[in-house]
Amino acid sequence: MDNNREQWGSKLGFTLASVGAMIGIGAIWKMPYIASKTGGGAFFIAFLILTFTVVLPILIGEYIVGRSSNSDAIRAYKKLVPNGHWDLVGKLGILGSILVFAIYSIVGGWVLAYIIKVTTGSVSHIDQAQLSLQFSLTSANTATAIAGTGIFILLTILIVSLGVRVGLERTSKFMVPALFILLVILTIRGLTLPNAVTGLQLFLKPDFSAINSKSLLLILGQSFFSLSVGISLMVTYGSYLNKSINIPKTSAFITLLNFFISILVAIAIFPVLYSFGVKPNDGPAILFVVLPSIFNQLPFGSVFFIAFLLMFLIAILSSSFSLLETAVAPFITKFPSRALATWVIGGLVFLIAIPATLSFGIWHQYTIFGRTIFEAIDYVSTNIIFPLGALFTAIFVGFRLPRQLLFDEFTQSSRLGRKVFMLWLLLLKYVAPIAIILIFLSATGIINF
C-alpha cells in the first residue's frame, strides 16, 4: 500500500469530481441527438436500465480495483494479479485517456474561440449558412485552432498539477454546481419559448417502436461513453478513496446524478430546437452552427449563448481534468514532482492534438483508413479502446480477483448483504461482457443487427 498516496478530502468532493469526469462532449452534443433518434422517453428508460445492469457493475469494479490496490491505472492490475499481463488493461486505459483528452482539447479550443467571437459580436446577426462558413473558417485557421487547443491544455495542466484535493476536488466543488446552475437557467429560458413545452412533451413521450437491436446498441454505447467506463479513469479516482465510503451506494448515486444532468442537458437543448423547427444534429454543428443561429433570433440571445458555451466549457474541462490525471498518475513517482509530470504529459498531449487540429485545415487531405486524423483518433478511442477496456476490466474483476476481496470492498461501510453482492457479480461476469462484445462487433461492422 502507498501510504503517501493522496486521498479525496470528502465524499462530496469525490462525488462531484466523478460526476464532472462523466459530463462531457457525449452528454451535450450526442445525447439529445441519440435520444430523439431512439424514441425520446423510451431512450431514457432503456438508457437507465442498461446503465444500471451493464455499465454500473463495471464502474463499481473499476473503483474496487483502484481502492483495493491503492495504485495508479497501470500498477493497480499488476499489484492485484502479479502473474500475467493484466497491466496492459491499465496501459490501454492510459492511451485512451490521452487520445480522448486530445480530442476534448481541440473542441475546448473551439469553445474558447467562440466565447471571444460571441463577446465581440462577430457571430451575431448572421444566418445558419454564414455560421457554418464561420465554423469552417475557425476550425481550419491554423493559428486560432492551435492557440485555442494550447490554452485549453494549459488550463487543465494548471489544475491537475495542484493535486487531488487542492486541484481536482476544490475545482470540482465549484465547477459542477456552476454547471448545474447554468443548465437550470438555460432550461428555464428554453421552456419559455413558443411551442417549447409541446416539443418537450413530444420529446419525452416514449416511442417504444424506435427501440430495436440497433438502437439498444447505440444507447448502450452512449451509456459507456457517458460514464467514462473502460479507460481506467475510475480506477485512478478509486485509488484516492478511503475505506469510509461504500463504493456501490456512492457509484449508484453518481450514476443517477449523471443521468439527471444528462436529462437536463437534453431538456435545455431540445425545446429550443423544436421551437424553431430544427432537428437535433450529432457533432459540433449543433453547438457552433445550429444553436447560434437560434440564439441570434432571441432577445439577449448572445448572453444565453455565452452561458451555454460556458456550461459546455465547464463540462469538458472537468472531464479533461480526470483524463489528464489518469494519464499523469502512473508517472508522478518517475519525476521530481507532480507538477513536472503534469507538464510533460500535458505537453505530449498537445503534440498529439496538433495533427488532429490541422486535419480541419492544411492537413485535411491526410487520412487514416478513410478518416481524417481527428476522426481516426475519435473512432479508435470511442469504438475500440472504450469497449475493449470495459470488457477486460469486467473479466479481470469478475474472474481474476479473489471473491473475498470483492465482497469486503463491496460491503465496506454498508449493510449490503451477500445477495446484492452476488447479483452485482453475476451482472459483471456475464451480462456486461456479452453486451460489450455485441457493441464491439456491431461498431466495427463485423456483425449487423
Side-chain angles (χ1 to χ4, degrees), residues 118-167:
V118 177
T119 304
T120 58
S122 61
V123 292
S124 301
H125 310 297
I126 59 176
D127 60 25
Q128 193 163 316
Q130 291 174 307
L131 283 165
S132 180
L133 176 62
Q134 183 73 244
F135 175 66
S136 297
L137 293 173
T138 301
S139 58
N141 186 294
T142 301
T144 299
I146 291 180
T149 301
I151 293 170
F152 184 88
I153 291 176
L154 177 62
L155 290 172
T156 309
I157 289 173
L158 292 175
I159 296 299
V160 174
S161 64
L162 295 175
V164 174
R165 290 196 185 188
V166 178

Coordinates of all heavy atoms in Angstrom, one line a residue, residues 118-167:
V118 N -18.5 35.5 -29.8 CA -19.8 36.0 -29.3 C -19.6 37.3 -28.6 O -20.4 38.2 -28.7 CB -20.5 34.9 -28.4 CG1 -21.8 35.5 -27.9 CG2 -20.7 33.7 -29.2
T119 N -18.6 37.4 -27.7 CA -18.4 38.6 -27.0 C -18.1 39.8 -27.9 O -18.6 40.9 -27.6 CB -17.2 38.4 -26.0 OG1 -17.4 37.3 -25.2 CG2 -17.0 39.7 -25.1
T120 N -17.4 39.6 -29.0 CA -17.1 40.7 -29.9 C -18.2 40.9 -30.9 O -18.1 41.9 -31.7 CB -15.7 40.5 -30.6 OG1 -15.8 39.2 -31.3 CG2 -14.6 40.4 -29.6
G121 N -19.2 40.0 -31.0 CA -20.3 40.2 -31.9 C -20.0 39.7 -33.3 O -20.8 39.9 -34.2
S122 N -18.9 39.0 -33.5 CA -18.6 38.5 -34.9 C -19.5 37.4 -35.4 O -19.5 37.1 -36.6 CB -17.1 38.1 -35.0 OG -16.8 37.1 -34.1
V123 N -20.2 36.7 -34.5 CA -21.1 35.6 -34.9 C -22.6 36.0 -34.7 O -23.5 35.1 -34.7 CB -20.8 34.3 -34.3 CG1 -19.4 33.7 -34.8 CG2 -20.8 34.4 -32.8
S124 N -22.8 37.2 -34.4 CA -24.2 37.7 -34.1 C -24.8 38.2 -35.4 O -24.2 38.7 -36.3 CB -24.1 38.8 -33.0 OG -23.6 38.4 -31.8
H125 N -26.2 38.0 -35.4 CA -27.0 38.5 -36.5 C -26.6 38.0 -37.9 O -26.6 38.7 -38.9 CB -26.9 40.1 -36.5 CG -27.2 40.7 -35.2 ND1 -28.4 40.5 -34.5 CD2 -26.4 41.4 -34.4 CE1 -28.4 41.1 -33.4 NE2 -27.2 41.7 -33.2
I126 N -26.1 36.8 -38.0 CA -25.8 36.1 -39.2 C -26.6 34.8 -39.3 O -26.9 34.2 -38.3 CB -24.3 35.9 -39.5 CG1 -23.7 35.0 -38.4 CG2 -23.5 37.2 -39.5 CD1 -22.2 34.6 -38.6
D127 N -26.9 34.4 -40.6 CA -27.8 33.2 -40.7 C -27.0 31.9 -40.6 O -25.8 31.9 -40.4 CB -28.5 33.3 -42.0 CG -27.6 33.3 -43.2 OD1 -26.4 32.8 -43.1 OD2 -28.0 33.8 -44.3
Q128 N -27.7 30.8 -40.7 CA -27.1 29.5 -40.4 C -26.0 29.2 -41.5 O -25.0 28.6 -41.1 CB -28.2 28.4 -40.4 CG -27.7 27.1 -39.9 CD -28.8 26.1 -39.5 OE1 -29.8 26.6 -38.9 NE2 -28.7 24.9 -39.9
A129 N -26.2 29.6 -42.7 CA -25.2 29.3 -43.8 C -23.9 30.0 -43.5 O -22.8 29.5 -43.6 CB -25.7 29.7 -45.1
Q130 N -24.0 31.3 -43.0 CA -22.9 32.1 -42.7 C -22.2 31.5 -41.4 O -21.0 31.5 -41.3 CB -23.2 33.5 -42.4 CG -23.7 34.3 -43.7 CD -24.2 35.7 -43.4 OE1 -25.1 35.9 -42.6 NE2 -23.6 36.7 -44.1
L131 N -23.0 31.0 -40.5 CA -22.4 30.4 -39.3 C -21.7 29.1 -39.6 O -20.6 28.9 -39.0 CB -23.6 30.1 -38.2 CG -24.1 31.3 -37.5 CD1 -25.4 31.0 -36.8 CD2 -23.1 31.8 -36.4
S132 N -22.2 28.4 -40.5 CA -21.5 27.2 -41.0 C -20.1 27.5 -41.6 O -19.1 26.9 -41.3 CB -22.4 26.4 -42.0 OG -21.7 25.2 -42.4
L133 N -20.1 28.5 -42.4 CA -18.9 29.0 -43.0 C -17.9 29.5 -41.9 O -16.7 29.2 -42.0 CB -19.2 30.1 -44.0 CG -18.0 30.8 -44.7 CD1 -17.2 29.7 -45.5 CD2 -18.4 31.9 -45.6
Q134 N -18.5 30.3 -40.9 CA -17.7 30.8 -39.9 C -17.0 29.7 -39.1 O -15.8 29.8 -38.7 CB -18.6 31.6 -38.9 CG -17.9 32.3 -37.8 CD -17.0 33.5 -38.2 OE1 -15.8 33.5 -38.1 NE2 -17.7 34.5 -38.8
F135 N -17.7 28.6 -38.8 CA -17.1 27.5 -38.0 C -16.0 26.8 -38.9 O -15.0 26.4 -38.3 CB -18.2 26.5 -37.7 CG -17.6 25.2 -37.0 CD1 -17.0 25.3 -35.8 CD2 -17.7 24.0 -37.6 CE1 -16.4 24.2 -35.2 CE2 -17.1 22.9 -37.0 CZ -16.5 23.0 -35.8
S136 N -16.3 26.6 -40.2 CA -15.3 26.0 -41.1 C -14.0 26.8 -41.1 O -12.9 26.3 -41.0 CB -15.8 25.9 -42.5 OG -17.0 25.0 -42.5
L137 N -14.2 28.2 -41.1 CA -13.0 29.1 -41.2 C -12.3 29.0 -39.8 O -11.0 29.1 -39.8 CB -13.4 30.5 -41.5 CG -14.0 30.7 -42.9 CD1 -14.5 32.1 -43.1 CD2 -12.9 30.5 -44.0
T138 N -13.0 29.0 -38.7 CA -12.4 29.0 -37.4 C -11.6 27.7 -37.2 O -10.5 27.7 -36.7 CB -13.5 29.1 -36.3 OG1 -14.2 30.3 -36.5 CG2 -12.9 29.1 -34.9
S139 N -12.2 26.5 -37.5 CA -11.6 25.2 -37.2 C -10.4 25.0 -38.2 O -9.5 24.2 -37.9 CB -12.6 24.1 -37.3 OG -13.2 24.1 -38.6
A140 N -10.5 25.7 -39.4 CA -9.4 25.5 -40.4 C -8.3 26.5 -40.2 O -7.2 26.3 -40.8 CB -10.0 25.6 -41.8
N141 N -8.5 27.5 -39.4 CA -7.4 28.5 -39.1 C -6.4 27.9 -38.2 O -6.6 27.6 -37.1 CB -8.1 29.8 -38.5 CG -7.1 30.9 -38.4 OD1 -6.1 30.8 -37.6 ND2 -7.3 32.0 -39.1
T142 N -5.2 27.8 -38.8 CA -4.1 27.1 -38.0 C -3.7 27.8 -36.7 O -3.7 27.1 -35.7 CB -2.8 27.0 -38.9 OG1 -3.1 26.3 -40.1 CG2 -1.7 26.3 -38.2
A143 N -3.6 29.1 -36.8 CA -3.1 29.8 -35.6 C -4.2 29.7 -34.5 O -4.0 29.5 -33.3 CB -2.8 31.2 -35.9
T144 N -5.5 30.0 -34.9 CA -6.6 30.0 -33.9 C -6.8 28.6 -33.3 O -6.9 28.5 -32.1 CB -7.9 30.4 -34.6 OG1 -7.7 31.7 -35.2 CG2 -9.1 30.4 -33.7
A145 N -6.8 27.6 -34.2 CA -7.0 26.2 -33.7 C -5.9 25.8 -32.7 O -6.2 25.2 -31.6 CB -7.2 25.3 -34.8
I146 N -4.7 26.0 -33.1 CA -3.6 25.5 -32.2 C -3.5 26.3 -31.0 O -3.3 25.8 -29.9 CB -2.2 25.6 -33.0 CG1 -2.2 24.6 -34.1 CG2 -1.0 25.4 -32.1 CD1 -0.9 24.6 -34.9
A147 N -3.7 27.7 -31.1 CA -3.7 28.5 -29.9 C -4.8 28.1 -28.9 O -4.6 28.0 -27.7 CB -3.8 30.0 -30.3
G148 N -6.0 27.9 -29.4 CA -7.1 27.5 -28.6 C -6.9 26.2 -27.9 O -7.1 26.0 -26.7
T149 N -6.4 25.2 -28.6 CA -6.1 23.9 -28.1 C -5.0 24.0 -27.0 O -5.1 23.4 -25.9 CB -5.6 23.0 -29.2 OG1 -6.6 22.8 -30.2 CG2 -5.2 21.6 -28.6
G150 N -4.0 24.8 -27.3 CA -2.9 25.0 -26.3 C -3.4 25.7 -25.0 O -3.0 25.3 -23.9
I151 N -4.2 26.7 -25.1 CA -4.7 27.4 -23.9 C -5.6 26.4 -23.1 O -5.5 26.4 -21.9 CB -5.5 28.6 -24.3 CG1 -4.6 29.7 -25.0 CG2 -6.3 29.2 -23.1 CD1 -5.3 30.9 -25.6
F152 N -6.4 25.6 -23.8 CA -7.3 24.7 -23.1 C -6.4 23.7 -22.3 O -6.7 23.4 -21.1 CB -8.2 24.0 -24.1 CG -9.2 23.0 -23.4 CD1 -10.4 23.5 -22.9 CD2 -8.8 21.7 -23.2 CE1 -11.3 22.6 -22.3 CE2 -9.7 20.8 -22.5 CZ -10.9 21.3 -22.1
I153 N -5.4 23.1 -23.0 CA -4.5 22.2 -22.3 C -3.8 22.8 -21.1 O -3.6 22.3 -20.1 CB -3.5 21.6 -23.3 CG1 -4.2 20.7 -24.3 CG2 -2.4 20.8 -22.6 CD1 -3.4 20.1 -25.4
L154 N -3.4 24.1 -21.3 CA -2.7 24.9 -20.3 C -3.6 25.0 -19.0 O -3.1 24.8 -17.9 CB -2.3 26.2 -20.8 CG -1.6 27.2 -19.7 CD1 -0.3 26.6 -19.2 CD2 -1.4 28.5 -20.4
L155 N -4.9 25.3 -19.2 CA -5.8 25.4 -18.1 C -5.9 24.1 -17.4 O -5.9 24.1 -16.1 CB -7.2 25.9 -18.6 CG -7.3 27.3 -19.2 CD1 -8.7 27.5 -19.8 CD2 -7.1 28.3 -18.0
T156 N -6.0 23.0 -18.1 CA -6.1 21.7 -17.5 C -4.8 21.3 -16.7 O -4.9 20.8 -15.6 CB -6.3 20.6 -18.6 OG1 -7.4 21.0 -19.4 CG2 -6.7 19.3 -18.0
I157 N -3.7 21.6 -17.3 CA -2.4 21.4 -16.6 C -2.3 22.1 -15.3 O -1.9 21.5 -14.3 CB -1.2 21.7 -17.5 CG1 -1.1 20.8 -18.7 CG2 0.1 21.8 -16.7 CD1 -0.1 21.2 -19.7
L158 N -2.7 23.4 -15.3 CA -2.6 24.2 -14.1 C -3.4 23.6 -12.9 O -3.0 23.6 -11.8 CB -3.0 25.6 -14.4 CG -2.1 26.4 -15.3 CD1 -2.8 27.8 -15.7 CD2 -0.8 26.6 -14.7
I159 N -4.6 23.1 -13.2 CA -5.4 22.5 -12.2 C -4.9 21.1 -11.7 O -4.7 20.9 -10.5 CB -6.9 22.3 -12.7 CG1 -7.5 23.7 -12.9 CG2 -7.7 21.6 -11.6 CD1 -7.6 24.6 -11.8
V160 N -4.6 20.3 -12.6 CA -4.1 18.9 -12.3 C -2.8 18.9 -11.6 O -2.5 18.1 -10.7 CB -4.0 18.0 -13.6 CG1 -3.4 16.7 -13.2 CG2 -5.4 17.8 -14.2
S161 N -1.9 19.9 -11.9 CA -0.6 20.0 -11.2 C -0.7 20.3 -9.8 O 0.2 20.1 -9.0 CB 0.3 21.0 -11.9 OG -0.3 22.3 -11.8
L162 N -1.9 20.9 -9.3 CA -2.1 21.2 -7.9 C -2.4 20.0 -7.0 O -2.3 20.1 -5.8 CB -3.2 22.2 -7.8 CG -3.0 23.6 -8.4 CD1 -4.3 24.5 -8.4 CD2 -1.8 24.3 -7.8
G163 N -2.8 18.9 -7.7 CA -3.0 17.7 -6.9 C -4.5 17.3 -6.7 O -5.3 18.0 -7.3
V164 N -4.8 16.3 -6.0 CA -6.1 15.8 -5.9 C -7.0 16.7 -5.1 O -8.1 17.1 -5.6 CB -6.1 14.4 -5.2 CG1 -7.5 13.9 -5.0 CG2 -5.4 13.4 -6.1
R165 N -6.6 17.1 -3.9 CA -7.5 17.9 -3.0 C -7.6 19.3 -3.5 O -8.6 19.9 -3.6 CB -7.1 17.8 -1.6 CG -7.3 16.4 -0.9 CD -7.2 16.5 0.6 NE -7.4 15.2 1.2 CZ -7.5 15.0 2.5 NH1 -7.5 16.0 3.3 NH2 -7.6 13.8 3.0
V166 N -6.4 19.9 -3.7 CA -6.3 21.3 -4.0 C -6.8 21.6 -5.4 O -7.5 22.6 -5.7 CB -4.9 21.9 -3.8 CG1 -4.8 23.4 -4.1 CG2 -4.5 21.7 -2.3
G167 N -6.4 20.7 -6.3 CA -6.7 20.9 -7.8 C -8.0 20.3 -8.1 O -9.0 21.0 -8.4

